[in-house]
Amino acid sequence: MVNLLKIIVFGAGRIGRSFIGQVFNRSGYEVVFVDINRSLIDLINLHKKYKVVVKGESSDQVLWIEDVRGVWLNDTDKVADELSGAGLASLSVGQQGLSAAMPALAKALIIRRQQHGDIPLDIIIAENMRNADVYIREELMKYLPTDYPVHQLVGLIETSIGKMVPLMTRKDMEEDPLQVFAESYNSLIVDRKGFKNVLPDVPFLAPKENIKAWVDRKLFIHNLGHATVAYIGYQAHPSATYICELLEDSGIYQMATQTMLQSAKILMALYPNEFTQDQLDEHIDDLLQRFMNKSLGDTVFRVGCDLYRKLGPEDRLAAPVHAAISLDKPYNLILNAIKAAIHFHATDENGQYFPSDIRFFQEAEKGTQYILENICRINEC
């Protein structure tokens, strides 16, 4: 029998624990985490609970998420058994982890159909990526039988994940390996049309009719603004550790604001009648205040690292430029942020670069135009 109040959360990392697991647990769902990290799963099963430390400007709030358990991803039989009878699933494994999750997910879908018939499974895709539903469907079909009716039995729900979850220091993780820090923001924007079953009764859900527009709002404004602060700010203050430090510089604050406003105009042209200028102005002001949350301790390294991905053609800076070119809209401020990113060399608390960024630095020696054309896929500038 399918338990409609059970969710399988693929990915027990920062978003999985602080956001997806938290909001569904607090809404009465049985939460089962699936992760490739065996030691993390063992800790979850040992303690059956973990805490989310909500970082506020004036004080912290601790939320205990209880009665949870976990399954190791490589234990595919157990994963399939858990998922076959669940009402919901979610994916928050990061783009690099998606391919590893697909075989176990496909196996569970096959067993689910054998045991329960044609009862659809809705999968919330809690990943920051455009056209995530198309990508996941194509990946799943590599492992499903050719006659499996994936379009009828799998609801792929795109989301816009706006919650900020900072990296934790080694000291914080040693103190409690299961705790996770996050901001208070808890709105989970989802694609209303993606659900095959009844929309879950979860107060934190914000269903939207045109999810593509809201995914791009996150990318073109939130992600772009955050990255702009990191890249432009690093140029002026290379020794700064935290994003909030950079925003104390009024010049950086104004540059970030203007760049976000430029991207907002591109967004409005791309999705006419979906947003108003006043709505986006208010959104930008709110984001900048959230970026300035000192208690959150969000680092310049976290926001700016992973340059191959963040400068990719479908990501936070290049995607708005591509849209601007097609719409004949200005994008000079966004281009300035990209050029700053090419010279970004921030390190983590141990003085280490993000692993793939070392290779990026070598490619960057070939020049700005080379990165624009070969990484960002921008030729018209």
Side-chain angles (χ1 to χ4, degrees), residues 228-229 232-233 236-237 243-259 288-289 292:
T228 298
V229 174
I232 298 292
H237 306 283
I243 288 293
C244 60
E245 289 180 77
L246 299 178
L247 286 168
E248 291 174 356
D249 181 330
S250 61
I252 302 301
Y253 188 100
Q254 288 301 318
M255 180 58 71
T257 302
Q258 293 305 311
T259 306
L288 287 166
Q289 291 305 307
M292 293 178 71

Side-chain angles (χ1 to χ4, degrees), residues 221-280:
I221 298 180
H222 185 148
N223 292 133
L224 171 138
H226 226 181
T228 298
V229 174
Y231 299 140
I232 298 292
Y234 177 81
Q235 282 191 319
H237 306 283
S239 62
T241 301
Y242 301 106
I243 288 293
C244 60
E245 289 180 77
L246 299 178
L247 286 168
E248 291 174 356
D249 181 330
S250 61
I252 302 301
Y253 188 100
Q254 288 301 318
M255 180 58 71
T257 302
Q258 293 305 311
T259 306
M260 293 164 83
L261 287 169
Q262 183 173 77
S263 193
K265 291 186 181 300
I266 300 167
L267 181 71
M268 290 176 65
L270 194 60
Y271 300 102
N273 305 318
E274 187 70 32
F275 309 107
T276 68
Q277 187 67 60
D278 286 345
Q279 287 173 335
L280 295 182

Side-chain angles (χ1 to χ4, degrees), residues 21-29 31 61 63-65 186 203-204:
Q22 178 234 141
V23 300
F24 279 93
N25 176 272
R26 292 171 65 193
S27 300
Y29 276 70
V31 175
Q61 176 190 7
L63 300 175
W64 280 102
I65 310 304
N186 259 346
F204 304 100

Side-chain angles (χ1 to χ4, degrees), residues 205-223:
L205 253 57
K208 304 297 181 183
E209 294 296 328
N210 185 1
I211 192 62
K212 303 296 183 184
W214 290 83
V215 169
D216 278 353
R217 188 190 78 146
K218 169 68 190 330
L219 197 71
F220 284 35
I221 298 180
H222 185 148
N223 292 133

Side-chain angles (χ1 to χ4, degrees), residues 283-315:
H283 182 52
I284 289 169
D285 289 342
D286 176 66
L287 283 170
L288 287 166
Q289 291 305 307
R290 287 165 58 195
F291 294 167
M292 293 178 71
N293 182 351
K294 293 181 179 179
S295 180
L296 197 60
D298 212 358
T299 65
V300 178
F301 169 77
R302 185 196 79 83
V303 176
C305 73
D306 196 2
L307 290 162
Y308 278 117
R309 178 170 68 89
K310 291 176 181 175
L311 291 181
E314 290 293 309
D315 216 283

